[in-house]
Amino acid sequence: MNPGETIFDIGKPGRRASAQAPAAGDAPDLPASCLRANAPRLPEVSELQAVRHYTNLSARNFSIDNQFYPLGSCTMKYNPRGAHRAASLPGFLNRHPLAPESASQGFLACLYDLQETLKHVTGMAAVSLTPMAGAQGEFAGVAMIRAWHDARGDDGREEILVPTAAHGTNPATAVMCGYRVREVAVGADGDMDMAALKAALGEKTAGIMLTNPSTCGVFERRIREIADAVHAAGGLLYYDGANLNAILGNVRPGDMGFDVAHLNLHKTFATPHGGGGPGAGPVGVGERLVPHIPTPVVARDGDRYRWVDNDQIPGSIGRLSAFMGNAGILLRALAYARMLGREGMRRVGEYATLNANYLMVRLADAGFELAYPERRASHEFIITFRNEAKTLGVTAMDFAKRLLDYGFHAPTTYFPLLVAECFLIEPTETETKEELDAFVDAMVRIRAEAETDPERVKTAPHTLPVSRLDDVKAARELDLTYSFGEH
Amino acid sequence: MNPGETIFDIGKPGRRASAQAPAAGDAPDLPASCLRANAPRLPEVSELQAVRHYTNLSARNFSIDNQFYPLGSCTMKYNPRGAHRAASLPGFLNRHPLAPESASQGFLACLYDLQETLKHVTGMAAVSLTPMAGAQGEFAGVAMIRAWHDARGDDGREEILVPTAAHGTNPATAVMCGYRVREVAVGADGDMDMAALKAALGEKTAGIMLTNPSTCGVFERRIREIADAVHAAGGLLYYDGANLNAILGNVRPGDMGFDVAHLNLHKTFATPHGGGGPGAGPVGVGERLVPHIPTPVVARDGDRYRWVDNDQIPGSIGRLSAFMGNAGILLRALAYARMLGREGMRRVGEYATLNANYLMVRLADAGFELAYPERRASHEFIITFRNEAKTLGVTAMDFAKRLLDYGFHAPTTYFPLLVAECFLIEPTETETKEELDAFVDAMVRIRAEAETDPERVKTAPHTLPVSRLDDVKAARELDLTYSFGEH
Amino acid sequence: MLTSIGAPSIDALFDEIEPALKTSHFDGIDEGVDEMTMIQEMAERARRDEAGPCFTGAGCYDHHIPAAVWDIAARGEFMTAYTPYQAEASQGTLQLIYEYQTMITGLTAMDVSNASVYDGGSALGEAVLMAVRANRAHPSNKTGGPRRIAVAGACHPHYVDATTNITRNQGIELVPTGTTDGRVDLDALTGMTGDRMPVAVIVQQPNFLGLIEPVDEIADWASANGVLVIAVVNPTSLALLRPPGEWGANGADIACGDGQPLGIPMASGGPSFGFLCTRSSLVRQLPGRLVGRTVDRHDQPGFTLTLQAREQHIRRGKARSNICTNQGLLVTAATIYLAIVGATGLSRVASRCHERTRKLVGTLTGVNGVRSHFAGPYFHEHVIDVGQPADRVADAVAELGIVGGLPLGRYFPDLRNCLLVCATEKRTDADIARFGDALQQVLNG
Amino acid sequence: MLTSIGAPSIDALFDEIEPALKTSHFDGIDEGVDEMTMIQEMAERARRDEAGPCFTGAGCYDHHIPAAVWDIAARGEFMTAYTPYQAEASQGTLQLIYEYQTMITGLTAMDVSNASVYDGGSALGEAVLMAVRANRAHPSNKTGGPRRIAVAGACHPHYVDATTNITRNQGIELVPTGTTDGRVDLDALTGMTGDRMPVAVIVQQPNFLGLIEPVDEIADWASANGVLVIAVVNPTSLALLRPPGEWGANGADIACGDGQPLGIPMASGGPSFGFLCTRSSLVRQLPGRLVGRTVDRHDQPGFTLTLQAREQHIRRGKARSNICTNQGLLVTAATIYLAIVGATGLSRVASRCHERTRKLVGTLTGVNGVRSHFAGPYFHEHVIDVGQPADRVADAVAELGIVGGLPLGRYFPDLRNCLLVCATEKRTDADIARFGDALQQVLNG
Ligand SMILES: Cc1ncc(COP(=O)(O)O)c(C=O)c1O
Ligand SMILES: Cc1ncc(COP(=O)(O)O)c(C=O)c1O
């Protein structure tokens, strides 16, 4: 395919996949005034053209199935095809969301089992599966915190604390829930600055949003002290479960003192990321928040399963989607959890940690600078190119782009914001030592290039379908849809 | 992946996809003497490694889903995914070949319908679906011819006539059936040399194997005259249906005078080629050969379907496979035929012919030499590079390899053998005019390169995962399996 | 590996974690099983939910999905890629989203679209938040009073619930206008003047009850009064019905809905995706990702995420929304679906659904005791009155192997005898006859 | 396009064809339908064949197939490619076949393998033709008499039939030795001396009746007498059983069989693939394609078809076989299967099948009137005697939703009361109990 050639460029008026149109119905029995005057501009291609176009487009992606993809905070691990197969069973795929309970017992049993599994995984009293991604899980969590304060008439609490290292969704969520965000500094060792925390806590504190291990790639060691302090101030603790993979099967947010936790099933429970989604962000809650969990949830009476809705949980923050969230993702997660089992989950946390520590040590030995050299890596860790940027003029972004040429997806760059010129590197447990070693080799080679031929690195990538793209032009001269007739 | 890196290179002792091994059974209840001493050398990789390796390997193929693939005689057209879906329905996929008839009515009904459809398509009296590819269809056809002569006690017929342009499977089949092959020349216009035919015919003649349109890409105009001559000599006519796409829905082998015909369902009926197979080569027979058709076939009594086996067709040449041939391919073909219907089949033949004639004229206009300039193309046609080879030293093979760099699969090269330095080009009906035009452009550009920079063409390809391979070394220093420990 | 690390055991890698936190409370989780056993268990459950023909719609529709759609969408390259942050390594996903943006704006006749939000329900929530941000001129922005959003006519009750729950904490209030004969009570709407003038009005077309709303009147009233119009639409219907961009004189301001009808299996309602489109002038208020076309260093065309400063990973607390992970893979499927069916295919699907539903309504109202509840044109859903509590009728019909429509009593007590039924292009004459017979049997023995 | 061609109509492009040949006899073929309708029709038929647990083997086995196998094998790049004649554009397929050749020779302990033939039955046919070519020293090559091939013991009757039909016209004759207690009659075999000395001997292990043949004795006798050994083997069993390359002192000369157990659905028995392996010294007698490793112009490793001079497209009438299209896609699946399960997984599958079958036999022989027909060890198939005509019993069991083994009377009249049963790793305790109950019900009311 030619560069930038879209499906519209290869279309031709009147062409279509003839096997894909049912026989036309009669003239519609609708008033002419409500009918569309001109057919929408959609592609006009044969089925072969569509298949070929999108098959070839797909080849322009990096993906786990093709490459090592050590994207920190994203847990890009292998997504077992068996889980996809299980969720694609006809009985699941063809189930209408509003089918009667009597015809939904298989699906409901799956949701119930997943609720139970995630209760154990998080150490929480109840789980609601409906949030459709991490950010919606966060929303549900903070909305429940708010509902709890409101229910107690404690309505002067206007602030949510968030560490400076937090993921952007955390502050954005707090604002969506009507809170002000107050940032709390992170110390030089990657742990929270306790003095800053204590200074921030007070009667305005509704709660705090934390992830542990944190996005600094280290385990927050004083977590129980933090929990006590927040609780003492009258606030609740929200756990951002995006990093749960590091401690899966080993440590539980509930035991750390959190009141509510979401999980990113698309990270820890291996549902594929789909080029941006879908995910699922179930929330687990401690006893205090049980009355507020989002609906619907599933209950079991003997061997019958049934929906539980707002009428039975009057304090619920209610439904957050039209139906049952990303139901199919929940099935995938259950299938994955079932294959792992207790021991498998423990191994996930252990090997994720092992791989990260190994890679960290190897990169440090190779001369890359660690952000937190005194610390163990969790399932991820940070290196910084501030020296390379200063002395060679080669930035983290340049390293990232050049890695693509070596066949590796780049780690997360420039996040968390508090470490300059950083990579957040998360190898995950499903990669082999050989793959990690090859990554180190590539990093070493790129640094050598940065020393001898920095232009090569600064103008990377050189071997991909496009070279480095002009972001500024993209934003200045917005071109968001194909202009028919102009190309 | 590194060049030539095999699945064995990335394995490591003891590594495995843990979710893919059931719990071990007890110690086997088998005498030690019959047990294997050492485990077989198989890959030792994780599931991710296997998925990634084969996903990346797949990207090293050209295929219809990715490229225009105008391989003459091979009918590389679009294989509708719907047919694949239909054949993959659980009821079909999980059916045991020896399941009782009572539990096989759906499958049997499909086979029956396909038999009936192919009877109409070929103009024959009966169809047997069992042959597993074209070559086995040929075998069945010639074996039936032999059975017919034998049944009549006419056992002095030792020769099968085959035109010089024939596909290699034709003479090979005749030999497998215990016949001698006698070649018949093709005239300068691509039609059979009638004098040569008549000279070859005689009492030794068991039959003739023909394809029409022939592999010269033209329709054998005197086919009825040929049929009469062969019949008059006491021989029968076998139709090689590999080229049926050209005339599908328009002309039928039975009407041309053939006694038996095979069809390549993987060509005309759009089942994918799978990197070499599978296919299916059903045979249709005229009245004379009905008593000899290979088993099993399917009969219908009212609304019940049943197998018909040798006990009911005592003259049958018998079964040619363990079960029912390539059953799944038969289902795909039925699905495809059902979507096409009568009119769709006619359009297949028409558009295949239109595309071939268009491409032929465009290439001729661009200065390429046609093998049969006076003739219409059938669904395919031949051009020859004998001039380019002589004047520029650039051969058909060089053009073929260079086309790969332009993103087109090469046409069939050096076949049929009787035209020097040739391409046999078959665009098929599922390609668009734009694709054909782009192919012409590439051909023109390559010829310009051949004139200005012949080395570039002679050393092509330059942009594929490997450059031109050393076939001679491959045959001299046979390396047919991975040598553990040596790499 | 432990040797390289210099750690004696994997356990040692957890040595920064307080030992008391290391739990052994995982006993509630069973031991793992192999893939074969897992599939067998799941298949046994899936089998229990296999049902006969589906006549329920209400936001989720049983359309035919061309086999090629998921064969391509499920390719590892699409399915196992992350969000396309590294543009050069994600041209496949990025170009596809650009094509999607073109198709969905083509369908809705809007200017711009994002790369998806979660589903139709949350899309409406985001649309409301967006309208509040966009309508800066509205008096409520000065008074600090509650920002009112009018819900004109019968909007999907689950959408209204989700939207209420998503927007509640930002002082936003949804105000239903009520209905007459199943459609908007226009007088009630246009009576919202002065203090009660809403920031925006939500209109679903066809509405939840399957009926056609007077969208031109609503849109023209709104634009005359500084009220933004939020359209909730079914994408299949847009092959037939006038698109939101052409409602009234000026078109809707925001169009949203659920992409499920475009090649996505019902799958219990998710994952599908929410689409969200708007006018060019409001593009900076759009939440979620946007893909733009640009050029690379060699001036070749390419695609990249753009206007990221609207998003949480850059703007954090000031972002347009907290959305991060969206529904990319479903957008991939919908894009391939639209490419394969094209405008002709989609309009055939739409007209076929319309025709099938008319046939269905004819068959069902032929059953003694059954009648159409609302008069007037409908697209592919309709309310029928079965003369007795519809939830029990639906259960009884389900026993006969038919998913027979949604009982409406739960949402509208006065419609307790009503079912909302739907027939897509997949419903054959035999299916419809079977439903008719089942209903006959349930109602008349 | 017609203008460029200079033709007035498409019809004109057919003007070299005698008008009388242009037929309108296609009325028997219905009009086409859209994909949706086609799938509905096919699904309706497929549904009729859905059956309960399968206990029939006899050459086709219901194994678990890891989901990844066909997700990858069905990728367009594998599925819609042609035979890898253009090596540079087919490295994917070529390297995969090279890996397959390595795996299958590893399993069989043979030196070389081709890239597949059609199925197990035709593989045996090709093996026989190959043996006849290879055994040039055999007296029958001089006398011109029929070339005899001994069939030692119980070989799959369909394989024997197919082989007979494929080889008959080349003066080849298959001679069964007969069996004692379900295994080879060794005296009959070793009594084939002088004129009756066969060119080759076929041995199936485990044999058609599920029993273990004395392969060492057979192989040693054969090699002492200038008779080639053709092994017919089940690839799953090779994870447990001694492979043909290690039979007797010198191993078998040719090993063949059906690859279906390696990740290929039963699908009515096809498509699967036949594998065919031999000694290095006989490589030039192998029919079908072979892939070799070589280097390119830059000395990088690569793969290509090799020794093509054995094949029909080069050698025509003198080719080793007429085979052209083979079963490539199934080899692709099998290769991925073997890579995913590995040696450990395959041996677990094998030992689990063995264990399940013992359990099955225990359960069935616990039913009144049922007993094991043959004593002695078996792998995953066994003959049980049900005390009455087994075909009727099988039909009755099928009515109860169980595919309950193959009635043997059709092949061996004296086994008319016998069923050949099999349990793979997929058969649960519940499945086995259900079969036991069904048999109980059928036999004892
Ligand atoms: C630490 C952290 N928190 C929250 C999120 C948000 O999750 P989602 O993208 O599923 O909305 C992410 C996702 O990248 C994350 O890494
Ligand atoms: C003209 C012709 N005849 C026969 C055949 C053999 O068919 P198959 O490859 O299916 O055995 C072919 C295949 O390429 C062919 O092109």
Side-chain angles (χ1 to χ4, degrees), chain B residues 73 133-135 138 167 169 215 240 242-243 264 266-267, chain D residues 82 324-325:
Chain B
S73 204
E138 296 177 29
H167 193 263
T169 49
T215 48
D240 175 342
N243 291 346
N264 277 21
H266 44 308
K267 298 181 178 182
Chain D
Y82 199 71
C324 175
T325 290

Side-chain angles (χ1 to χ4, degrees), chain B residues 3 5-8 17 20 22-25 28-29 33-36 43 45 53-54 57-58 60-66 69 71 74 76 91-97 103-107 109-110 113 120 132 135 146 166 168-169 172-173 175-178 221 224 249-250 252 255 266 272-278 309 317-319 321-323 326 328 338-339 341-342 351 353 355 358 361 375-376 401 409-410 459 464 467-471 474-475 479-482 487, chain D residues 1 4-5 10 12 14-16 18 21-23 25-33 35 38 41 43 45-46 48-49 56-58 60 66 72 74-83 86-93 95 98-99 101-103 105-107 118-119 158-159 162 165-166 169-170 238 240-242 266-268 270-271 289 291-298 300-301 303-304 306 312 316-317 322 325-330 335 339-340 348 351-352 354 358 378 410:
Chain B
E5 184 175 73
T6 69
I7 191 84
F8 309 103
Q20 299 303 346
D29 181 22
S33 67
C34 67
L35 294 182
R36 180 162 197 141
V45 296
H53 178 74
Y54 291 107
L57 257 195
S58 78
R60 301 185 163 209
N61 270 0
F62 276 36
S63 78
I64 305 182
D65 278 9
N66 291 279
Y69 213 123
L71 207 57
C74 299
M76 294 295 282
F92 292 142
L93 227 43
N94 300 329
R95 186 184 164 276
H96 191 282
S104 309
Q105 289 296 306
F107 175 67
C110 289
D113 282 356
H120 292 295
M132 286 177 290
R146 185 175 191 121
T169 49
T173 297
V175 170
M176 276 187 86
C177 290
R221 289 169 289 196
R224 301 227 282 193
N250 291 276
R252 311 191 304 176
D255 299 335
H266 44 308
H273 283 79
D309 222 320
I317 59 163
R319 71 164 55 246
S321 56
F323 303 113
N326 279 331
R338 189 74 187 97
M339 287 193 286
R342 187 167 58 223
Y351 290 144
T353 302
N355 275 354
Y358 174 77
V361 167
R375 302 292 307 267
R376 292 277 189 216
K401 298 296 184 195
H409 196 280
T459 55
L464 297 194
S467 62
R468 212 177 287 192
L469 289 160
D470 186 344
D471 286 335
D479 175 356
L480 305 176
T481 59
Y482 181 86
H487 287 271
Chain D
M1 292 171 82
S4 303
I5 299 171
I10 290 187
F14 291 89
D15 57 9
E16 295 184 351
E18 214 182 308
L21 283 179
K22 281 194 243 156
T23 188
H25 286 308
F26 289 97
D27 313 345
I29 299 174
D30 288 334
E31 278 193 39
V33 297
E35 182 191 276
M38 179 278 288
E41 289 175 3
R45 287 178 168 183
R48 295 170 69 183
D49 295 356
T56 303
C60 186
I72 309 302
R75 286 170 61 83
E77 291 88 337
F78 284 133
M79 193 155 77
T80 73
Y82 199 71
T83 302
Q86 289 291 346
E88 297 83 1
S90 312
Q91 287 296 296
T93 293
Q95 180 173 334
Y98 178 85
E99 295 182 0
Q101 291 172 178
T102 305
M103 296 181 199
T105 52
L107 267 179
Y118 304 130
D119 78 337
H158 291 186
Y159 283 34
N165 299 331
I166 290 168
N169 295 326
Q170 297 189 51
L238 294 180
L240 273 190
L241 300 183
R242 205 132 42 71
M266 294 193 291
S268 296
R289 297 179 196 129
V291 172
R293 197 171 185 269
T294 183
V295 295
D296 72 2
R297 289 181 60 246
H298 304 111
Q300 292 291 312
F303 301 87
T304 185
T306 192
Q312 47 72 29
R316 304 177 70 81
N322 70 343
T325 290
N326 63 16
Q327 306 282 120
L329 190 65
L330 296 311
T335 304
I340 287 180
R348 293 269 191 92
S351 76
R352 194 85 186 143
H354 179 55
R358 279 182 291 154
Y378 52 87
R410 183 177 158 202

Side-chain angles (χ1 to χ4, degrees), chain D residues 249-264:
Chain D
N250 301 317
D253 299 282
I254 301 171
C256 65
D258 200 295
Q260 183 275 331
L262 304 176
I264 297 169

Side-chain angles (χ1 to χ4, degrees), chain A residues 175-473:
Chain A
V175 169
M176 275 187 87
C177 290
Y179 284 115
R180 264 202 321 272
V181 174
R182 181 150 177 175
E183 293 214 329
V184 183
V186 171
D189 61 357
D191 284 345
M192 183 169 283
D193 178 334
M194 289 303 284
L197 173 66
K198 291 194 174 139
L201 283 169
E203 52 188 27
K204 294 227 175 287
T205 307
I208 187 167
M209 301 180 80
L210 284 180
T211 163
N212 195 16
S214 75
T215 49
C216 295
V218 298
F219 191 85
E220 177 67 62
R221 287 169 291 194
R222 281 164 308 206
I223 183 61
R224 299 226 285 194
E225 205 182 312
I226 294 172
D228 289 345
V230 173
H231 283 144
L236 296 186
L237 287 92
Y238 166 83
Y239 180 82
D240 174 344
N243 291 346
L244 191 73
N245 212 53
I247 53 171
L248 183 66
N250 291 275
V251 180
R252 311 190 306 175
D255 299 335
M256 296 185 216
F258 284 95
D259 299 287
V260 48
H262 92 261
L263 283 89
N264 277 22
L265 296 186
H266 42 309
K267 298 181 176 181
T268 314
F269 284 81
T271 55
H273 283 80
V283 281
V285 294
E287 291 296 350
R288 281 189 272 220
L289 296 182
V290 173
H292 305 296
I293 52 170
T295 51
V297 289
V298 176
R300 171 180 173 163
D301 304 322
D303 62 357
R304 293 295 291 176
Y305 297 88
R306 61 179 170 78
W307 290 113
V308 175
D309 223 320
N310 281 30
D311 45 352
Q312 290 173 65
I313 316 180
S316 165
I317 60 165
R319 70 163 58 246
L320 301 172
S321 57
F323 303 112
M324 178 52 201
N326 279 332
I329 303 300
L330 304 174
L331 294 174
R332 283 170 177 80
L334 177 66
Y336 177 72
R338 190 74 188 97
M339 287 193 285
L340 283 181
R342 187 167 57 227
E343 270 311 304
M345 288 189 199
R346 184 187 302 276
R347 275 199 309 273
V348 164
E350 289 179 352
Y351 290 146
T353 302
L354 175 64
N355 274 354
N357 278 283
Y358 175 77
L359 191 55
M360 178 174 80
V361 167
R362 289 241 26 222
L363 286 172
D365 288 351
F368 290 95
E369 185 183 354
L370 302 179
Y372 302 103
E374 306 300 318
R375 302 293 307 268
R376 294 279 187 212
S378 61
H379 62 313
E380 60 189 359
F381 61 94
I382 301 176
I383 65 174
T384 165
F385 297 93
R386 60 186 150 196
N387 283 328
E388 288 84 351
K390 210 180 297 163
T391 59
L392 307 170
V394 175
T395 64
M397 186 56 78
D398 299 329
F399 269 86
K401 297 297 185 197
R402 186 65 180 140
L403 270 171
L404 306 177
D405 283 330
Y406 280 88
F408 296 103
H409 196 280
T412 298
T413 51
Y414 300 97
F415 176 76
L417 306 175
L418 56 86
V419 183
E421 293 294 341
C422 72
F423 269 11
L424 179 62
I425 307 179
E426 180 183 6
T428 84
E429 73 279 9
T430 57
E431 296 292 338
T432 61
K433 175 174 176 296
E434 294 84 338
E435 200 70 53
L436 308 184
D437 289 338
F439 180 77
V440 174
D441 292 347
M443 289 285 284
V444 169
R445 276 205 252 166
I446 295 170
R447 201 188 33 210
E449 288 176 348
E451 284 158 1
T452 56
D453 183 6
E455 261 327 278
R456 183 106 192 115
V457 182
K458 282 153 75 170
T459 55
H462 302 289
T463 60
L464 297 193
V466 293
S467 63
R468 214 178 287 193
L469 289 160
D470 186 343
D471 285 336
V472 175
K473 179 184 158 82

Side-chain angles (χ1 to χ4, degrees), chain A residues 73 133-135 138 167 169 215 240 242-243 264 266-267, chain C residues 82 324-325:
Chain A
S73 205
E138 296 177 29
H167 193 263
T169 50
T215 49
D240 174 344
N243 291 346
N264 277 22
H266 42 309
K267 298 181 176 181
Chain C
Y82 200 72
C324 176
T325 290

